[in-house]
Amino acid sequence: MEPAGERPGPRRASRGKDAYYLPGGKPEPGESAHQALIREIREELGVDLLPETITPAFTVQAPAHGASAGTQVRMTCYTADYRGTPAPRAEIAEVAWLSPADRARTSRATQAVLDQVWPRQGE
């Protein structure tokens, strides 16, 4: 159960990152997007996604945080139910429940996702 008005998932990596990011990553050779999603979430948050509930939501593209000018990141986002309690694992230093007030503390790609999830007031 997520706190009212907040969403799970954004996290801060431990390798000197100064912003919150969404968990996930790239598929390994021979791995499907769904397989990669299930593996990455298990590795980073210690929860098991229920494969039958995985649904594509949207894709965003934004400047990559901390990368050279012009470097873009493209993220395909999904929704899914899960079993377990999210906790930091692997390179994850912290798991946080974020609200729209936390937008400035996130990477630009995460901001693009949050803008899809929480349309900004007055726009």
Side-chain angles (χ1 to χ4, degrees):
M1 175 80 47
E2 56 196 51
E6 298 181 343
R7 295 290 185 266
R11 46 89 168 167
R12 187 184 317 227
S14 61
R15 291 183 297 223
K17 302 290 184 180
D18 61 354
Y20 282 92
Y21 294 79
L22 293 170
K26 298 176 185 172
E28 293 179 352
E31 190 175 49
S32 72
H34 280 193
Q35 290 168 329
L37 178 66
I38 290 167
R39 176 185 50 77
E40 288 282 353
I41 296 302
R42 185 179 301 126
E43 288 175 359
E44 295 183 356
L45 299 176
V47 298
D48 292 311
L49 295 182
L50 304 178
E52 66 278 6
T53 68
I54 297 172
T55 305
F58 51 85
T59 299
V60 299
Q61 186 168 324
H65 186 79
S68 58
T71 303
Q72 297 279 304
V73 63
R74 180 182 164 111
M75 295 190 327
T76 301
C77 300
Y78 298 84
T79 62
D81 293 329
Y82 61 91
R83 207 176 355 241
T85 302
R89 291 193 169 186
E91 74 270 19
I92 307 307
E94 177 183 0
V95 173
W97 295 83
L98 301 180
S99 73
D102 297 306
R103 185 178 183 280
R105 298 171 49 200
T106 66
S107 69
R108 296 275 300 275
T110 300
Q111 290 174 12
V113 171
L114 295 178
D115 289 348
Q116 293 284 325
V117 176
W118 298 309
R120 293 165 66 181
Q121 299 283 330
E123 292 185 9

